[in-house]
């Protein structure tokens, strides 16, 4: 007997309550609505169903299951206890608990004094377990004001929104080479430009791709058609999109790999992230975990198929960066990601967009919150990014002057965004650099770039990806390039501009082209079947129906008279082609019970003769009967009887 047949046989021994408990834990098999216990056994042994069941086991249950598979036909409770060294009372109790969990999932069940495992299971570990892995210490909790975690999450959430915003802006003006993934070299370059580390930059790329703000097109990472609306939205709306995208990230957290540029992959990082967030959301709103390593250890033991130690720790860092977890507790934003209503609470985790900056006397600039696009453009014109803000220097101011900006105009633009005005130290720096900035220069020129739009010319001169050209202004509408025309044209086109090869006077002319936007890839289909999941009541009803269907029923034996009547009806029906079924039944009842009926017998083609008879026998198509009123014995062909009527008083 095969193990699938053995599973079906064991299921037949269970009552409706036990079967309901199995279906509740194996919902994927219940959702297929099997019509019999044999069909249920087929569903329970599919590869997908077994994988889902094993993935829900804790480490102790996996140790016991792996040992059962290794023992094979020799598997038994005592053999298991000996192999796993369950000599004490506690270890015996843990073995009993694990076997109960495996039985409740129909993975291992007892039969004839031994343990039988479900067909289709494979060994879980390369090395056999030496003992049952004990459960780690329950994470300790401490009371905490429910508002502390939310306030602590404001800074990292704001930083993430700012980082993704700068990433989208950078991909809009600069070529970011990308295929299916963003290479490590390009990832490190992006991290340097964005003033971040590789881990945070990888997270920003993943969030932007999953939120459908960036997509790969022709080997480049470019904004999608929805990026402009997201960029123009408020900081709260931008955070809402990123917070919703984080649990859907499928690449494994913390894995040293290039950043994924696809919205889906074969990894199971989404289960790791959601499981971590659900673990923190189990806390009361006025509680927090004292030690994060205890939380990670519990998750790794509880669901080892989903939570690896390194991946879970990295997922926790990501959750803190997005503002979903802080100070050992789930924030209101993190709870809203699981329960819904993110847009209602996101505004509490990011300040409004800032349009002014505080220019300090120490030549730094600080923005309270997320800078607007206009404010970022002004600050990046004459300052370099630094930790916590921007810093002005002689080189950064000289860069603005090299782009053709006059000192007074530059100071006026800085004053328009300065919250407390331009400090004297910054004004002195600008004028000192301008005084030393030579009025007459000798520049090696390989070709010239010309446009009728001075603003566009300044944009080209300040473009970071065009730095190899060493562009210098020769006039309001002319830039000098240190590279030949062919190289200059190639770099201009790569940066998103459309220069002509040459004008009439031999100089290249450049114009602005529409910004590149692509359609994001289609949303990946949700995993799972097309059937609607069963509710708890429906699962109980299905279990009861399966048990009732398999219950042996007593064989029903007809009484002899009833059996004789049915047989007579069949014979008369075959011999008469004109009598309706009701009259055939009436004639059969009269024959079995020896009662009188009136029959009409054909007498020629158009006439009949009626007789009141009491049938006494039937053979070879002839009906033998006694005729009233004298009781003479006669025979009638059944095929010639045209009607049958009940009579009374005879």
């Amino acid at each position: 007997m095969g193990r699938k047949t053995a599973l079906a046989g064991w299921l037949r021994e269970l009552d409706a309550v036990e079967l309901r408990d199995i279906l509740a834990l194996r919902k994927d098999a219940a959702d297929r609505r099997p019509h019999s216990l044999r069909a249920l056994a087929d569903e329970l042994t599919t590869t997908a169903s077994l994988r889902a069941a094993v993935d829900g086991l804790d480490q102790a249950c996996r140790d016991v299951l792996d040992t059962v598979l290794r023992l094979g036909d020799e598997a038994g409770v005592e053999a298991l206890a000996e192999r796993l060294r369950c000599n004490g009372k506690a270890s015996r109790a843990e073995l009993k608990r694990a076997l109960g969990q495996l039985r409740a999932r129909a993975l291992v069940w007892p039969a004839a004094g031994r343990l039988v495992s479900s067909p289709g299971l494979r060994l879980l570990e390369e090395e056999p377990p030496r003992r049952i892995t004990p459960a780690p210490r329950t994470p300790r909790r401490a009371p905490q004001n429910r508002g502390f975690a939310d306030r602590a999450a404001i800074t990292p959430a704001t930083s993430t929104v700012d980082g993704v915003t700068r990433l989208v802006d950078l991909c809009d003006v600069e070529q970011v080479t990308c295929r299916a993934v963003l290479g490590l070299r390009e990832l490190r370059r992006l991290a340097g430009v964005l003033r971040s580390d590789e881990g945070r930059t990888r997270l920003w790329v993943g969030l932007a791709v999953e939120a459908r703000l960036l997509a790969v097109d022709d080997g480049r990472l470019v904004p999608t058609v929805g990026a402009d609306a997201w960029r123009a939205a408020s900081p709260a709306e931008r955070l809402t999109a990123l917070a919703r995208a984080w649990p859907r990230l499928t690449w494994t957290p913390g894995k040293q790999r290039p950043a994924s540029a696809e919205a889906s992959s074969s990894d199971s990082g989404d289960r790791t992230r959601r499981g971590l967030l659900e673990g923190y959301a189990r806390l009361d709103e006025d509680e927090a975990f004292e030690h994060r390593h205890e939380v990670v250890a519990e998750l790794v033991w509880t669901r080892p198929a989903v939570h690896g130690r390194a991946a879970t720790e990295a997922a926790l860092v990501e959750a803190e960066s997005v503002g979903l977890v802080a100070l050992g507790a789930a924030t209101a934003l993190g709870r809203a990601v699981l329960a819904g209503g993110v847009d209602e609470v996101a505004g509490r985790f990011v300040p409004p967009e800032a349009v002014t900056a505080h220019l300090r006397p120490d030549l730094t600039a600080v923005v309270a919150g997320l800078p607007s696009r206009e404010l970022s453009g002004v600050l990046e014109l004459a300052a370099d990014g630094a930790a916590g803000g921007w810093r002005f220097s002689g080189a950064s101011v000289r860069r603005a002057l090299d782009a053709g900006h006059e000192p007074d105009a530059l100071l006026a633009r800085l004053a328009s965004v300065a919250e407390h005005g331009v400090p004297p130290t910054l004004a002195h720096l600008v004028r000192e650099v301008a005084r030393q900035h030579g009025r007459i220069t000798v520049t090696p020129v390989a070709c010239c770039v010309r446009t009728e739009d001075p603003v566009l010319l300044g944009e080209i001169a300040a473009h970071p990806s065009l730095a190899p050209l060493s562009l210098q202004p020769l006039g309001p509408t002319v830039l000098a390039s240190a590279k030949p025309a062919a190289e200059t044209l190639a770099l201009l086109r790569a940066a998103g501009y459309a220069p002509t090869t040459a004008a009439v006077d031999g100089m290249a002319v450049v114009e602005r082209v529409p910004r590149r936007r692509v359609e994001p890839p289609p949303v990946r289909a949700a995993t799972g079947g097309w059937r609607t999941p069963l509710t708890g009541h429906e699962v109980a009803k299905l279990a009861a129906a399966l048990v009732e269907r398999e219950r042996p029923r007593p064989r029903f034996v007809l009484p002899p008279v009833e059996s004789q009547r049915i047989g007579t009806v069949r014979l008369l029906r075959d011999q008469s082609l004109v009598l309706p079924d009701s009259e055939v039944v009436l004639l059969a009842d009269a024959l079995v019970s020896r009662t009188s009926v009136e029959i009409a017998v054909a007498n020629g083609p158009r006439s009949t003769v009626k007789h009141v008879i009491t049938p006494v026998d039937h053979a070879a198509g002839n009906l033998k009967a006694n005729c009233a009123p004298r009781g003479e014995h006669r025979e009638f062909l059944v095929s010639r009887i045209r009607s049958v009527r009940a009579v009374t008083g005879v």
Side-chain angles (χ1 to χ4, degrees):
M1 181 174 63
R3 282 189 291 172
K4 187 177 293 187
T5 303
L7 174 58
W10 175 68
L11 292 174
R12 292 188 181 95
E13 299 174 1
L14 305 179
D15 57 26
V17 175
E18 294 174 315
L19 194 61
R20 179 203 62 190
D21 294 340
I22 291 176
L23 293 174
L25 291 174
R26 302 287 294 274
K27 288 294 294 293
D28 56 300
D31 292 341
R32 309 287 292 186
R33 295 171 174 84
H35 62 278
S36 66
L37 291 179
R38 175 66 191 197
L40 176 59
D42 292 338
E43 296 295 341
L44 292 174
T45 53
T46 62
T47 302
S49 182
L50 288 174
R51 182 185 299 113
V54 173
D55 286 352
L57 297 175
D58 58 45
Q59 187 60 55
C61 293
R62 289 171 67 92
D63 293 339
V64 173
L65 177 59
D66 194 79
T67 305
V68 170
L69 295 177
R70 293 178 185 276
L71 289 174
D73 294 338
E74 299 178 359
V77 177
E78 294 302 323
L80 271 178
E82 181 180 357
R83 180 67 64 91
L84 294 173
R85 291 183 280 183
C86 299
N87 302 320
K89 184 177 181 180
S91 58
R92 283 275 184 171
E94 183 65 6
L95 175 61
K96 182 179 179 181
R97 183 197 70 85
L99 288 175
Q101 290 292 319
L102 296 175
R103 181 184 183 276
R105 289 169 171 79
L107 297 175
V108 174
W109 62 91
R114 64 187 188 92
L115 297 174
V116 182
S117 60
S118 176
L121 290 173
R122 299 292 182 268
L123 293 178
L124 307 179
E125 306 292 342
E126 294 183 1
E127 295 293 330
R130 297 183 177 181
R131 60 177 65 248
I132 298 177
T133 304
R137 175 175 184 169
T138 302
R140 287 167 285 184
R141 305 182 181 188
Q144 178 175 274
N145 188 291
R146 64 180 60 187
F148 284 179
D150 291 354
R151 288 193 290 272
I154 293 177
T155 298
T158 303
S159 175
T160 297
V161 174
D162 177 60
V164 177
T165 301
R166 290 187 289 116
L167 172 65
V168 173
D169 290 342
L170 180 64
C171 293
D172 193 19
V173 300
E174 186 170 329
Q175 181 174 355
V176 179
T177 305
C178 182
R179 299 293 179 185
V181 295
L182 192 66
L184 288 176
R185 179 177 297 178
E186 189 72 355
L187 178 65
R188 290 165 183 164
R189 186 186 71 82
L190 277 181
V193 175
L194 297 174
R195 305 184 301 277
S196 180
D197 55 60
E198 291 182 29
R200 290 169 61 85
T201 305
R202 184 183 288 107
L203 174 62
W204 294 347
V205 172
L207 290 173
V209 172
E210 189 62 44
R212 302 168 68 79
L213 305 175
L214 296 177
V216 179
D217 181 62
D218 194 21
R220 290 181 55 187
L221 195 61
V222 296
T224 65
V225 293
D228 291 328
W230 179 85
R231 184 64 180 86
S234 66
E237 293 171 325
R238 282 183 268 168
L239 178 60
T240 298
L242 300 181
R244 288 173 174 166
W246 181 77
R248 302 197 304 264
L249 296 176
T250 54
W251 46 272
T252 304
K255 191 174 181 180
Q256 295 299 320
R257 51 164 293 184
S260 175
E262 295 181 346
S264 62
S265 72
S266 59
D267 293 343
S268 58
D270 53 341
R271 295 193 296 164
T272 302
R273 292 177 175 88
R274 180 168 288 274
L276 171 79
L277 196 55
E278 290 172 348
Y280 273 89
R282 287 196 298 266
L283 287 169
D284 293 335
E285 293 187 359
D286 55 354
E287 285 184 333
F289 289 121
E290 291 188 8
H291 305 287
R292 59 195 297 145
H293 70 273
E294 294 179 349
V295 182
V296 173
E298 183 188 47
L299 290 173
V300 171
W301 185 86
T302 303
R303 292 196 67 187
V306 175
H307 293 282
R309 182 173 298 277
T312 306
E313 291 175 349
L316 178 55
V317 173
E318 291 180 1
E320 292 172 337
S321 298
V322 184
L324 309 180
V325 175
L327 300 181
T331 64
L333 182 64
R335 296 178 185 273
V337 167
L338 296 175
V342 178
D343 49 350
E344 299 175 2
V345 302
R348 294 154 44 186
F349 291 84
V350 282
E353 199 170 52
V355 295
T356 60
H358 181 200
L359 304 184
R360 294 177 173 177
D362 61 353
L363 301 180
T364 59
V366 178
V367 177
L370 294 171
S372 64
R373 179 174 292 185
E374 294 76 13
L375 178 58
S376 296
V378 173
L379 293 177
E380 291 175 357
L381 177 65
D384 295 320
W390 286 263
R391 176 172 293 279
F392 295 92
S393 64
S396 64
V397 172
R398 187 175 296 107
R399 183 179 66 239
L401 298 178
D402 289 342
H405 296 279
E406 295 294 332
D408 293 336
L410 178 59
L411 289 173
R413 292 193 65 183
L414 292 174
S416 66
V417 299
E419 186 176 355
H420 304 291
V422 179
T425 52
L426 179 56
H428 176 74
L429 174 64
V430 172
R431 298 195 182 280
E432 183 64 21
V433 173
R435 185 181 63 82
Q436 298 176 1
H437 196 260
R439 295 185 177 181
I440 300 177
T441 59
V442 177
T443 304
V445 176
C447 70
C448 294
V449 180
R450 180 172 63 84
T451 178
E452 299 301 327
D453 186 357
V455 177
L456 176 58
L457 201 73
E459 177 185 316
I460 295 171
H463 201 293
S465 67
L466 299 178
L469 298 180
S470 300
L471 296 173
Q472 299 294 331
L474 299 181
T477 60
V478 180
L479 287 175
S481 173
K483 299 292 184 180
E487 296 184 34
T488 302
L489 288 170
L491 287 174
L492 283 171
R493 287 167 180 156
Y497 299 98
T500 60
T501 54
V504 177
D505 54 4
M507 292 185 297
V509 180
V510 67
E511 62 181 7
R512 184 186 282 108
V513 296
R515 295 197 170 187
R516 190 173 183 179
R517 295 293 183 268
V518 297
E519 288 288 343
V523 179
R524 65 179 181 270
T527 57
W530 53 267
R531 295 175 175 83
T532 304
L534 297 178
T535 63
H537 176 71
E538 290 173 331
V539 168
K541 188 175 180 181
L542 174 62
L546 290 174
V547 171
E548 182 66 22
R549 194 169 299 153
E550 297 289 336
R551 179 178 299 170
R553 301 180 183 275
R555 185 177 179 182
F556 180 72
V557 180
L558 291 173
V561 173
E562 184 66 17
S563 177
Q564 182 182 0
R565 186 181 70 84
I566 293 175
T568 304
V569 168
R570 290 174 179 172
L571 287 174
L572 294 175
R573 175 72 277 172
D574 293 339
Q575 294 168 3
S576 176
L577 302 178
V578 294
L579 288 177
D581 291 343
S582 59
E583 296 182 15
V584 171
V585 172
L586 181 60
L587 183 59
D589 287 339
L591 182 62
V592 173
S593 60
R594 300 291 193 271
T595 58
S596 298
V597 292
E598 182 185 83
I599 62 173
V601 182
N603 184 23
R606 296 180 180 274
S607 64
T608 59
V609 178
K610 295 183 179 180
H611 302 275
V612 176
I613 65 171
T614 302
V616 295
D617 197 7
H618 170 250
N622 291 321
L623 182 66
K624 298 178 181 180
N626 296 325
C627 294
R630 283 181 264 184
E632 64 267 22
H633 187 74
R634 295 187 61 179
E635 293 186 5
F636 303 92
L637 286 173
V638 175
S639 61
R640 296 181 63 84
I641 299 176
R642 296 293 179 261
S643 67
V644 181
R645 298 288 184 271
V647 296
T648 58
V650 178

